[in-house]
Amino acid sequence: MSASAIVRLENVTLGYYTIPKGWRSLFKIKQPVVFNVNLNVIDGEKVVIIGESGSGKTTLLKTILGILPPFEGKVYVLGKSIYDLPVKERRKITRQIGYVPQDPYKSLNPRVKVETVMMEPLERSNLTESEKRERIVEALRLVQLHERILEYYPMQLSGGMMQRVLIARAIVHDPEILILDEPTSALDVSIQAQVINLLNHIQKKLELAMLTVTHDLAVAQYLADRVIILYRGRIVEEGETRMVLSQPSHEYTRLLISSYRASI
Ligand SMILES: Nc1ncnc2c1ncn2[C@@H]1O[C@H](COP(=O)(O)OP(=O)(O)OP(=O)(O)O)[C@@H](O)[C@H]1O
């Protein structure tokens, strides 16, 4: 494996265990939803996985985040095969990932102040309270939020501000990679471009690797050095963004591009 690979998937097949109708819960069958995926995200690289709803994007992220062991294959994060490690060790590695979940409205507990949300990734660190505070203020500054919002509850924030809080929380512990699940899909169109610009700015400033999953070709166009097209759980095409979008080789990619063009 290359020394600078932050995330690497080798021949990964994964999915869920389901209980067939009429059977007791002892009897479970494997239901793969992602098949034989190979993926490599290197230091400082921006990769976007594009796929329609149900194609397996979130499932793929769950395995990288250490919460869904694959049926087959190896998942490396920061050079370690995470499912070959004891759970405690695995968590130590996956805590070095910054993660922004799919829906800001559902991801923030309405009864928990922004300050507590921001403190969470720093709980296990050796930093002093004032160093933690400094980190938090710096992360908020990077997402262009004032520290006074630490006293707010999520309900007092707009959707765009909630998303910025989630991005700030994902970078506050200085991760090696930022992983984003549909970072713009819950936001108003007018806010989407701002969030994309912000993410590009943060990625450049912190020199982070960034892995995003989305169904939205526009997100890929503005947020990816490299795109991966996922169709029904299989990678059907990948390459440099401009090349794939201008000269798609797979039928599904062509279809995605033509429906995107028709929508703008
Ligand atoms: N906990 C689960 N148990 C069983 N099947 C699941 C579970 N979560 C997801 N699935 C199934 O796995 C498939 C892929 O789902 P996944 O959420 O990864 O897709 P997605 O591309 O992220 O779509 P979306 O953008 O709509 O979330 C779907 O068929 C879904 O129904």
Side-chain angles (χ1 to χ4, degrees), residues 165-226:
V165 167
L166 288 169
I167 296 168
R169 181 182 68 172
I171 57 173
V172 73
H173 58 305
D174 198 16
E176 297 285 335
I177 182 166
L178 183 58
I179 291 185
L180 304 121
D181 194 348
E182 298 276 9
T184 59
S185 63
L187 304 175
D188 286 351
V189 176
S190 58
I191 309 290
Q192 291 181 1
Q194 286 176 22
V195 169
I196 287 176
N197 288 339
L198 184 68
L199 287 170
N200 275 323
H201 171 72
I202 289 170
Q203 187 271 339
K204 207 167 175 186
K205 172 118 186 152
L206 303 181
E207 297 174 343
L208 283 170
M210 197 157 85
L211 175 65
T212 307
V213 302
T214 180
H215 70 281
D216 187 348
L217 215 60
V219 172
Q221 194 173 1
Y222 296 111
L223 212 55
D225 301 322
R226 190 156 61 82

Side-chain angles (χ1 to χ4, degrees), residues 16 18 33 51-60 62 102 182:
Y16 303 92
T18 56
V33 298
E52 63 194 358
S53 181
S55 58
K57 304 182 295 296
T58 302
T59 304
L60 207 49
K62 284 183 193 165
Q102 189 162 8
E182 298 276 9

